[in-house]
Amino acid sequence: MTKSCPPQSTSESTEARREEQARAYCLRLLTARARTRAELTDKLAQRGYREDLSEQVLDRLEQVGLIDDADFAEQWVRSRHTNAGKGKRALAAELRKKGVDNDIITAALADIDAGAERDRAEQLVRDRLRREKLTDDDDTKVTRRLVGMLARRGYNQSMALDVVNVELASERERRRV
């Protein structure tokens, strides 16, 4: 004769079911794209999961490597700097909004040196200038527009102004030839 296990209490089975639901929900979210621990915490709170249950599920996901804020920040910085042309200031703000720790943000932004940031700003301005109609009297308007574009992307104002002036002079010279 075999021994049968006593039935689980309803609170234990409910707790286990809620934990499995939270884990499945997190996995679905992570399937769509990488997310920070803070983002997942917020999503679980929106769904009404208790904080201790959320912490338990997220700790396990972090142990198995599915949540890694440092890796997320590194990938985010690389992608947004290259594809969207974002500067360090804008990238730091985006990562803070996603709940990434300041130490991790600093480490992720260390990969972008001042030269790389300036090169990207120059490329953005060059691309935009190619589409501009330049007349003799509209340098101020064009400069203001281009510096504003760089500022919205998180570039330092003095560097942006310098880049715009150099690239504008270069574009005028190119069009003369």
Side-chain angles (χ1 to χ4, degrees), residues 134 166-177:
L134 296 179
V166 168
E167 292 300 322
L168 188 57
S170 176
E171 181 65 16
R172 286 208 177 279
E173 184 62 32
R174 186 186 75 77
R175 288 185 184 189
R176 277 193 197 112
V177 173

Side-chain angles (χ1 to χ4, degrees), residues 81-99:
H81 179 70
T82 303
N83 299 328
K86 297 288 183 169
K88 281 185 172 184
R89 194 177 66 214
L91 291 168
E94 288 176 354
L95 288 172
R96 256 186 238 101
K97 187 176 179 184
K98 292 191 170 297

Side-chain angles (χ1 to χ4, degrees), residues 117-126 150 155 159 163:
E117 191 172 29
R118 184 178 178 94
D119 290 344
R120 187 64 177 119
E122 288 170 351
Q123 185 61 46
L124 289 169
V125 170
R126 257 185 250 120
L150 290 176
Y155 290 93
M159 192 245 325
V163 165

Side-chain angles (χ1 to χ4, degrees), residues 8-127:
Q8 284 185 328
S9 69
T10 56
S11 65
E12 285 179 17
S13 64
T14 302
E15 182 70 23
R17 194 169 64 246
R18 286 292 284 170
E19 182 179 342
E20 184 53 39
Q21 288 171 344
R23 183 178 299 111
Y25 179 56
C26 286
L27 291 173
R28 278 195 314 273
L29 290 172
L30 289 168
T31 299
R33 70 170 177 84
R35 294 176 193 268
T36 64
R37 184 180 177 109
E39 286 179 302
L40 291 172
T41 300
D42 291 345
K43 291 288 191 182
L44 289 172
Q46 287 173 3
R47 285 278 177 109
Y49 290 100
R50 289 189 339 266
E51 189 175 329
D52 62 329
L53 178 75
S54 297
E55 289 299 315
Q56 184 179 346
V57 169
L58 295 176
D59 286 343
R60 179 66 183 135
L61 292 175
E62 200 165 6
Q63 281 176 347
V64 297
L66 292 175
I67 302 173
D68 184 354
D69 283 358
D71 185 51
F72 175 87
E74 210 173 283
Q75 289 178 18
W76 185 266
V77 165
R78 192 176 328 112
S79 171
R80 300 286 289 166
H81 179 70
T82 303
N83 299 328
K86 297 288 183 169
K88 281 185 172 184
R89 194 177 66 214
L91 291 168
E94 288 176 354
L95 288 172
R96 256 186 238 101
K97 187 176 179 184
K98 292 191 170 297
V100 177
D101 186 52
N102 282 333
D103 295 336
I104 295 173
I105 292 172
T106 303
L109 292 175
D111 292 343
I112 301 175
D113 63 345
E117 191 172 29
R118 184 178 178 94
D119 290 344
R120 187 64 177 119
E122 288 170 351
Q123 185 61 46
L124 289 169
V125 170
R126 257 185 250 120
D127 291 347

Side-chain angles (χ1 to χ4, degrees), residues 146-162:
L146 293 171
V147 169
M149 175 207 46
L150 290 176
R152 285 187 298 278
R153 291 179 185 216
Y155 290 93
N156 178 322
Q157 185 177 2
S158 61
M159 192 245 325
L161 185 59
D162 185 46

